[in-house]
Amino acid sequence: MNFDFSEDQKVLRDSVRKFLQNESPLTVAREVLENKQSHSSHVWNGLQEMGITSLMLPESCGGFGLGALDLCVVAEEIGRQLTPTPLSSTMYLATQALLLGSDEAQQQQWLSRVSEGSIATMAAPLDGKKTPLPIFEGGVLNGKAALVPDAMSAEFVIVLAQDNSQQPVWVVCELSEQVERTALTTIDEARPFGALNFNNTLAQPLNKVTDALALLDKVRNRAAILFAFEQIGGADAITEISVEYAKERKTFGRAIGSYQGIKHKLADIYTGNQMARAHCYYGAWALDTDGEELAIAAAGARVSACRAFNYAAQESIQVHGGMGYTWELDCHLFYRRTRQLSLILGAESQWNERIAKELEVKFLSPQAKA
Amino acid sequence: MDFNDSKEEATFREECRAWLNDNAQRKERPDEVFGQGLSAEELMQAAREWQGRKAQAGFGAITWPEKFGGRGGSPIQEVIYRQEEGNFKVPVGAFNVSLGMVIPSFFVHTKSDAAKQHVHDALHGKELWCQLLSEPGAGSDLGMIRTKAERCTDGREGWIINGQKVWTTLAQFADCGLVLTRTDPDVPKFAGMTTFYVDMDAEGVEICPIRQANGEAEFNEVFFNDVFVPDEQRVGDVGAGWKVTLTGLMNERLSIGGVIPPELWRTTMKHMQESEMTDGSSALNDAQMRQQLSNLYLDAQGLWLLQCRGLTALGQGREPGAELSVAKIVGARTLQDFSYFAMDLKGTGGILTAEDLGDSWRLVEQLWMGAAGMRIAGGTDEIVKNNVGERVLGLPPEPRTDKGKTYKELLV
């Protein structure tokens, strides 16, 4: 039994944590949010220099050929500091689509740029729901894509479009001046979204896709696990902040953390975080081995991490009392982030249903093992 | 990251499996339990015999040092053995307290000449030892025990014990017990306690089984009426009783276990398939029922994964981390939720027992009642949350009124 990250991965965690503590304290997230910036390019460049944007990339694309586990480790640290960088759009979404849907030559063309620090994103219904897609015909793309993460800063985009027979098709294109970009106002401005309007934009199809919707499903599963790591990172961070406050803040002559009302609440939060962490590790294992457990492990990681982070962030405001509801304190940054992360891939109930479906397959299908 | 045994672990597992195959009968169904239809006495006798055979083969006390007759093995080996033993129809659990907590604390602290024989007999199932700690007025707050031991004034070299213990596991079958007593009421509560071992047949020891809510009697009240123990049977120094007790409690860490049996999943899913909603459709197609099912999965699977993290730590020679401290809360609660869900699916028919619903229902029924007890055993949910808050998160304790006071002052 070795249900843990390796020593190398722990070393990676330590160095990323150290870097982000120094270069991406919560004040950086706050600055991006308050000034409506697209991201912190200082932090992004730093991550690129550390080689973070080369994780999971094949060596032919300037990557290290490392598995998914290393990226999970990084995601958790990003989550802890609410780091305002386009890591998720680039690595959890665009990169995964290219890894799954492109041959080596196409990967080389696009992923080498990721390794060098280019920002990429994905324009597809991330919640898996049916929405009108841009039209891809005659090598060009036309129409709108709504709700694209990091749309304002990305250099290229992987798009789920439809062809002239209304079949879904994956394409990749430059986000040149020709593409009209509109920034959207969201509940968490430190993690911005935009809408894209393609206008005869040159695009090339991903050349190794057999089933476009299955690929969307697979990218969503992979992203669910990586986002879940961000979520438990965030949940742990806000829990630590709440615990520290509960130790210091006094009412009626003693620290509020000594009252069982607060103590048990924090113990419950800790319990949720630990359960979610266990599911996330399982997700990391499934992501790395890429086997049949991926779907249920992704759903388990997602639902438990959504719940843990939501609960930790909601109750952090409660633990902080009136101060928790001020702009000055950081509670609302986490409150915003958890809501945004738990919606980005569709609501929790959808993923919970996925668990039921997988259990049905496992225990009730004719092939189910006795 | 993987869920596989290391090479050494796999070799040890093979060894366990081979011995078990030669010495016991494999279960036909995973939820089959040993000893259906046997009386409590017969079960205990079977447990003693099985323990004797295990001890002969070197599986009797895997983590004990070799000088006490153990294997000198690692905690992960103990867990591996238990996992394998779980696949066989043999009595399990009866010696958990005796060999897992009581004797390890006994052999560390005793100076008695008779100790060697006792440890040997306990290991081979000839003696069962119990742990006499809780009292009617001292549960979570063990420091408040009242059972007192006073030095003999009649010239004998020994002590006279008076008082009452409660919740003593398997005392009715035990040969000996470690009893925590108050020897000095004029010092703070933890400083005035001393541990002795007593012969459970000694004059003045009276054992009354407690009938539990589920009808069984695993626990007992034990009364001490002028029970004489020679000083030779003192374990540890006078006033060191708390230290001796903690040694035993520390050994409890191996109680990693209690996963949701896969059979329970299958049973529940089958009931879900068969159960009809009021409109005649299957519960398996009902969105709300499906969400409930998924929630159970999240708890049950999460629990198993937490244990995998604990086992990883043990396998690497580390103590399981703080994360395992929450397993008890989640575990008992999940078993309770599971049985509730299964019973709900039956509608009015859920009021029936395995008598009518058949053997496959026995597990649900046992869990339904058992889980209520599990939520109490070893500390209520609230006590566990206090521990998590204070020991794991470092939150300050509730203000205490007992600090700096002697035991006697606290009684007022």
Side-chain angles (χ1 to χ4, degrees):
Chain A
M1 179 80 60
N2 181 17
F3 189 44
D4 200 357
F5 289 104
S6 70
E7 286 312 309
D8 283 351
Q9 284 150 359
K10 287 175 185 168
V11 169
L12 173 69
R13 173 195 307 284
D14 289 345
S15 62
V16 174
R17 181 171 295 192
K18 209 180 221 169
F19 171 76
L20 292 178
Q21 272 170 351
N22 290 332
E23 306 302 329
S24 183
L26 290 175
T27 47
V28 172
R30 181 178 282 272
E31 200 182 303
V32 167
L33 180 136
E34 286 179 346
N35 301 328
K36 297 192 191 295
Q37 296 161 356
S38 64
H39 67 290
S40 161
S41 49
H42 170 70
V43 177
W44 181 244
N45 292 339
L47 289 171
Q48 191 270 330
E49 279 161 27
M50 287 177 81
I52 300 304
T53 60
S54 299
L55 293 174
M56 255 188 114
L57 301 191
E59 283 172 36
S60 61
C61 305
F64 303 131
L66 290 174
L69 296 175
D70 303 79
L71 192 54
C72 292
V73 164
V74 174
E76 185 181 339
E77 298 308 312
I78 295 284
R80 284 184 67 89
Q81 300 293 344
L82 307 177
T83 297
T85 58
L87 186 81
S88 54
S89 310
T90 308
M91 305 293 296
Y92 316 169
L93 297 172
T95 296
Q96 304 305 324
L98 287 165
L99 286 174
L100 291 164
S102 297
D103 70 5
E104 203 183 326
Q106 195 171 39
Q107 284 181 7
Q108 252 175 34
Q109 183 187 350
W110 298 97
L111 289 178
S112 312
R113 288 168 63 183
V114 168
S115 144
E116 284 153 18
S118 282
I119 299 168
T121 188
M122 194 170 98
L126 295 177
D127 57 11
K129 291 188 181 172
K130 275 211 165 81
T131 37
L133 301 172
I135 313 288
F136 178 67
E137 210 179 343
V140 294
L141 204 53
N142 276 293
K144 287 178 184 164
L147 293 172
V148 182
D150 295 306
M152 306 309 285
S153 55
E155 291 177 28
F156 67 92
V157 59
I158 319 294
V159 184
L160 182 63
Q162 55 180 346
D163 62 18
N164 49 11
S165 50
Q166 292 181 338
Q167 291 305 304
V169 51
W170 285 94
V171 300
V172 52
C173 70
E174 298 284 350
L175 278 170
S176 61
E177 307 244 316
Q178 221 185 6
V179 181
E180 191 188 321
R181 312 189 200 200
T182 316
L184 299 169
T185 308
T186 69
I187 55 176
D188 178 12
E189 299 274 42
R191 188 50 85 69
F193 274 67
L196 299 176
N197 194 0
F198 302 101
N199 186 8
N200 284 328
T201 311
L202 281 176
Q204 53 170 269
L206 298 198
N207 54 19
K208 235 184 70 189
V209 182
T210 44
D211 180 340
L213 293 181
L215 190 140
L216 176 62
D217 201 48
K218 197 139 194 216
V219 172
R220 290 178 72 231
N221 280 336
R222 288 188 174 196
I225 294 161
L226 292 160
F227 274 121
F229 271 92
E230 279 200 20
Q231 289 167 306
I232 57 164
D236 269 5
I238 187 60
T239 304
E240 286 161 24
I241 291 171
S242 299
V243 166
E244 280 317 301
Y245 187 77
K247 285 181 194 170
E248 281 161 22
R249 171 72 182 173
K250 293 201 168 59
T251 51
F252 307 110
R254 56 178 167 123
I256 60 169
S258 69
Y259 294 99
Q260 289 189 337
I262 297 292
K263 187 177 292 169
H264 288 186
K265 185 194 286 292
L266 289 167
D268 287 341
I269 292 172
Y270 176 80
T271 304
N273 292 355
Q274 289 302 331
M275 291 292 282
R277 179 171 292 279
H279 279 290
C280 281
Y281 279 38
Y282 187 51
W285 170 80
L287 185 59
D288 196 46
T289 48
D290 205 19
E292 60 181 11
E293 294 90 350
L294 182 68
I296 197 166
R302 173 142 186 90
V303 177
S304 60
C306 283
R307 288 181 182 171
F309 195 13
N310 280 334
Y311 186 54
Q314 287 164 354
E315 299 310 306
S316 77
I317 297 180
Q318 198 66 21
V319 170
H320 283 77
M323 283 305 291
Y325 198 64
T326 60
W327 187 262
E328 182 192 343
L329 259 67
D330 293 326
C331 298
H332 71 101
L333 301 182
F334 289 91
Y335 191 71
R336 291 167 188 282
R337 178 59 50 89
T338 184
R339 204 74 275 267
Q340 186 136 325
L341 287 182
S342 60
L343 290 169
I344 188 167
L345 295 175
E348 180 190 301
S349 55
Q350 181 198 117
W351 291 85
N352 218 23
E353 164 55 30
R354 195 174 272 229
I355 293 174
K357 202 169 154 198
E358 293 295 323
L359 286 174
E360 235 178 307
V361 173
K362 188 169 172 195
F363 288 109
L364 293 177
S365 69
Q367 303 90 334
K369 291 164 215 151
Chain B
M1 204 180 261
D2 64 64
F3 293 96
N4 309 326
D5 283 337
S6 71
K7 216 169 137 201
E8 296 77 30
E9 286 163 1
T11 309
F12 182 71
R13 191 181 294 281
E14 254 333 293
E15 192 186 334
C16 297
R17 204 174 284 173
W19 183 77
L20 284 161
N21 265 326
D22 290 343
N23 288 275
Q25 207 184 339
R26 198 169 263 281
K27 285 181 184 174
E28 279 148 39
R29 299 190 324 267
D31 60 343
E32 205 175 351
V33 281
F34 173 84
Q36 203 85 299
L38 292 187
S39 71
E41 287 74 17
E42 289 164 333
L43 270 176
M44 196 60 225
Q45 192 46 43
R48 284 175 186 264
E49 282 162 20
W50 178 238
Q51 176 60 31
R53 286 167 71 186
K54 280 164 69 173
Q56 291 256 313
F59 296 110
I62 290 167
T63 57
W64 285 12
E66 284 172 53
K67 65 173 170 176
F68 297 117
R71 188 185 190 97
S74 63
I76 193 77
Q77 289 183 327
E78 174 75 42
V79 173
I80 288 171
Y81 175 80
R82 285 191 202 179
Q83 286 172 342
E84 291 304 314
E85 194 183 48
N87 299 322
F88 289 82
K89 265 197 281 187
V90 294
V92 291
F95 284 85
N96 282 0
V97 175
S98 180
L99 301 175
M101 294 167 73
V102 185
I103 298 291
S105 158
F106 175 66
F107 62 54
V108 169
H109 296 283
T110 183
K111 292 189 181 97
S112 161
D113 296 333
K116 211 172 161 193
Q117 189 61 43
H118 279 307
V119 172
H120 176 271
D121 288 351
L123 175 60
H124 288 264
K126 290 179 194 153
E127 281 184 7
L128 177 77
W129 283 52
C130 64
Q131 178 157 254
L132 299 138
L133 298 174
S134 295
E135 296 185 6
S140 301
D141 186 9
L142 266 185
M144 287 306 287
I145 55 142
R146 288 163 186 249
T147 296
K148 62 182 175 184
E150 293 165 301
R151 280 198 192 269
C152 292
T153 51
D154 56 5
R156 284 182 295 178
E157 187 66 17
W159 304 72
I160 301 292
I161 300 179
N162 276 291
Q164 183 198 345
K165 295 291 176 180
V166 76
W167 305 124
T168 310
T169 308
L170 297 180
Q172 72 268 49
F173 300 112
D175 304 281
C176 294
L178 275 193
V179 56
L180 183 66
T181 65
R182 170 118 5 239
T183 42
D184 186 353
D186 295 313
V187 294
K189 59 184 183 181
F190 286 113
M193 300 191 284
T194 305
T195 299
F196 300 90
Y197 77 86
V198 290
D199 189 335
M200 296 303 281
D201 290 332
E203 206 183 323
V205 177
E206 192 191 334
I207 302 161
C208 305
I210 299 170
R211 193 161 182 220
Q212 295 151 216
N214 65 359
E216 292 170 12
E218 195 186 342
F219 308 105
N220 301 267
E221 293 179 292
V222 179
F223 297 90
F224 292 85
N225 300 310
D226 289 328
V227 177
F228 170 76
V229 284
D231 190 55
E232 154 87 8
Q233 290 185 204
R234 176 163 49 77
V235 179
D237 294 333
V238 174
W242 187 237
K243 194 172 147 196
V244 176
T245 303
L246 283 182
T247 312
L249 296 178
M250 296 283 269
N251 279 299
E252 217 181 355
R253 67 188 171 155
L254 272 188
S255 47
I256 301 176
V259 290
I260 308 295
E263 266 322 284
L264 193 55
W265 278 110
R266 254 178 279 277
T267 308
T268 309
M269 296 287 298
K270 220 171 108 256
H271 286 310
M272 215 169 151
Q273 197 173 28
E274 289 162 3
S275 156
E276 282 187 6
M277 307 300 288
T278 42
D279 66 358
S281 65
S282 158
L284 200 58
N285 297 326
D286 183 80
Q288 203 204 332
M289 289 301 205
R290 293 173 72 86
Q291 295 275 321
Q292 273 199 53
L293 177 75
S294 302
N295 290 342
L296 282 173
Y297 166 85
L298 287 169
D299 284 341
Q301 175 76 358
L303 201 62
W304 178 70
L305 294 167
L306 271 187
Q307 289 175 358
C308 288
R309 297 195 63 206
L311 292 178
T312 300
L314 283 180
Q316 294 170 351
R318 293 183 286 121
E319 289 284 317
E323 65 274 359
L324 265 186
S325 57
V326 305
K328 199 224 148 202
I329 304 184
V330 180
R333 183 82 231 187
T334 303
L335 289 171
Q336 202 169 33
D337 290 346
F338 228 120
S339 59
Y340 266 62
F341 183 60
M343 291 163 99
D344 278 346
L345 285 169
K346 287 245 168 233
T348 312
I351 64 170
L352 294 172
T353 67
E355 285 301 294
D356 285 296
L357 298 176
D359 262 357
S360 68
W361 193 252
R362 211 168 289 282
L363 192 63
V364 175
E365 196 183 320
Q366 279 174 2
L367 286 177
W368 161 67
M369 188 48 98
M374 283 178 231
R375 289 187 57 197
I376 309 290
T380 59
D381 288 358
E382 287 70 25
I383 290 290
V384 178
K385 285 184 192 180
N386 277 352
N387 285 342
V388 170
E390 291 168 22
R391 292 189 200 158
V392 180
L393 301 178
L395 293 167
E398 297 260 346
R400 299 175 63 151
T401 51
D402 56 358
K403 267 211 172 133
K405 290 191 180 161
T406 66
Y407 169 77
K408 223 178 197 170
E409 287 169 319
L410 293 174
L411 289 178
V412 187

